[in-house]
Amino acid sequence: MILPIDPANKLSFKRFIKDGDLVIVYERHDTMKAVKVSEDGVLQNRFGAFKHSEWIGKPFGSKVLSNKGAFVYLLAPTPELWTLVLSHRTQILYIADISFVVMYLEIIPGCVVLESGTGSGSLTTSLARAVASTGHVYTFDFHEQRAASAREDFEKTGLSSLVTVGVRDIQGEGFPDEFCGRADSVFLDLPQPWLAIPSAGKMLKPDGVLCSFSPCIEQVQRSCEALKSQFTDIRTFEVLLRTYEVRQKILENCPVNEGDSIERPPRKRRQGSAEGSNGTECSSSPTVVIRPSGEARGHTGYLTFARLKCFV
């Protein structure tokens, strides 16, 4: 579980894998999957068969072997990893946008957060960790089956005590009146967020913060128009993340001959060649090479933040 809560309402991070736990099986940097551990279970993949019984009692992060001698790592299902392995029922927010949202919504333990819509629950999972252990996230989706699937996921990840999932058309009906003036933050991921902004303003505490995620700039423009009457400090951001690959390569270093004015730069090692072009011996050494990733993620959406005005 991501955040098991003990009876005393304090966080207790489990370090050892138990029967019934959810683990993230890490095969390689681009291949991971969520697996529920069972005493009689066996994971079959291209590396062979992995018996769950051999996982139980090991700490998260352990390297385990298959019947073929290959290995995988067993990782704890943190919100960051869960975002990468969850079932995509809708488009989801990824780590760059999620971290920005949690920071700018000023979410801390004990906060009450309202969210619409739930979707695949990627952001909801990180919101739950941010408010734990005395806060709560109330998330709404108009699609009943999506809401039911999200509840199952939160049960699976141990977050059901921190998250309540409701079925409601927030654009048409607004948030329930019971939350009026109780929310520290509100997050909207809706096709027409401007329709829900008046209701969101009623839910927020004085000086509370709202965020709206929209893929199109036209949605941002209409939302900002709707925000002007009740909100201040309106700002929109686009988060673009550039990742780099770190690899170790073997480079060749050749000594400088007498009379040479410039030392040869290190070269990639050529197979079958252990000497330089002039017959001198060249040494090989491992070197770390860093380069931009060829799979950089582009535009995801716009994040618009606004703070509720305090009327005296």
Side-chain angles (χ1 to χ4, degrees), residues 255-276:
V256 180
N257 295 325
E258 282 189 38
D260 287 351
S261 57
I262 301 175
E263 184 177 355
R264 293 188 186 92
R267 301 178 299 173
K268 288 185 180 179
R269 187 179 185 180
R270 293 177 182 172
Q271 193 170 359
S273 174
E275 298 183 351

Side-chain angles (χ1 to χ4, degrees), residues 69-291:
F71 66 88
V72 295
Y73 290 98
L74 306 177
L75 306 181
T78 63
E80 292 80 8
L81 292 179
W82 182 248
T83 290
L84 300 177
V85 302
L86 57 75
S87 299
H88 287 209
R89 296 178 287 273
T90 59
Q91 284 289 96
I92 69 169
L93 268 69
Y94 288 94
I95 294 171
D97 287 324
I98 289 172
S99 57
F100 204 85
V101 168
V102 172
M103 175 68 75
Y104 266 79
L105 282 182
E106 302 173 359
I107 299 173
I108 59 173
C111 281
V112 172
V113 180
L114 302 184
E115 178 193 23
S116 179
T118 310
S120 301
S122 174
L123 174 64
T124 317
T125 302
S126 289
L127 294 177
R129 182 177 63 178
V131 304
S133 60
T134 54
H136 205 86
V137 178
Y138 297 90
T139 182
F140 299 90
D141 201 293
F142 76 93
H143 193 283
E144 192 164 348
Q145 184 54 52
R146 276 207 299 261
S149 298
R151 284 192 202 97
E152 292 176 10
D153 282 350
F154 298 139
E155 286 282 351
K156 192 186 302 181
T157 53
L159 296 176
S160 55
S161 63
L162 295 168
V163 180
T164 299
V165 183
V167 179
R168 190 178 178 91
D169 177 12
I170 299 300
Q171 286 186 171
E173 304 174 59
F175 289 98
D177 291 338
E178 64 187 276
F179 299 109
C180 189
R182 290 179 52 198
D184 296 282
S185 308
V186 173
F187 179 83
L188 303 176
D189 184 358
L190 300 168
Q192 297 175 296
W194 54 89
L195 297 178
I197 285 173
S199 172
K202 295 176 184 177
M203 302 302 114
L204 284 167
K205 296 176 181 177
D207 206 38
V209 184
L210 174 145
C211 175
S212 176
F213 176 85
S214 299
C216 302
I217 197 64
E218 291 81 8
Q219 293 169 301
V220 174
Q221 291 170 332
R222 292 198 63 174
S223 297
C224 289
E225 284 295 325
L227 287 167
K228 287 193 300 185
S229 61
Q230 289 180 276
F231 292 83
T232 185
D233 193 21
I234 302 170
R235 292 182 283 177
T236 297
F237 302 90
E238 181 184 20
V239 181
L240 299 176
L241 181 67
R242 189 178 190 186
T243 59
Y244 281 73
E245 296 176 352
V246 180
R247 297 284 184 269
Q248 188 178 70
K249 292 186 178 291
I250 303 298
L251 298 184
E252 206 173 69
N253 295 288
C254 295
V256 180
N257 295 325
E258 282 189 38
D260 287 351
S261 57
I262 301 175
E263 184 177 355
R264 293 188 186 92
R267 301 178 299 173
K268 288 185 180 179
R269 187 179 185 180
R270 293 177 182 172
Q271 193 170 359
S273 174
E275 298 183 351
S277 58
N278 59 357
T280 58
E281 291 287 336
C282 295
S283 61
S284 299
S285 60
T287 303
V288 174
V289 177
I290 304 173
R291 64 182 182 186

Side-chain angles (χ1 to χ4, degrees), residues 15-27:
R15 295 299 182 190
F16 293 92
I17 298 168
K18 297 179 182 177
D19 187 21
D21 274 352
L22 185 72
V23 302
I24 305 298
V25 177
Y26 178 100
E27 297 180 9

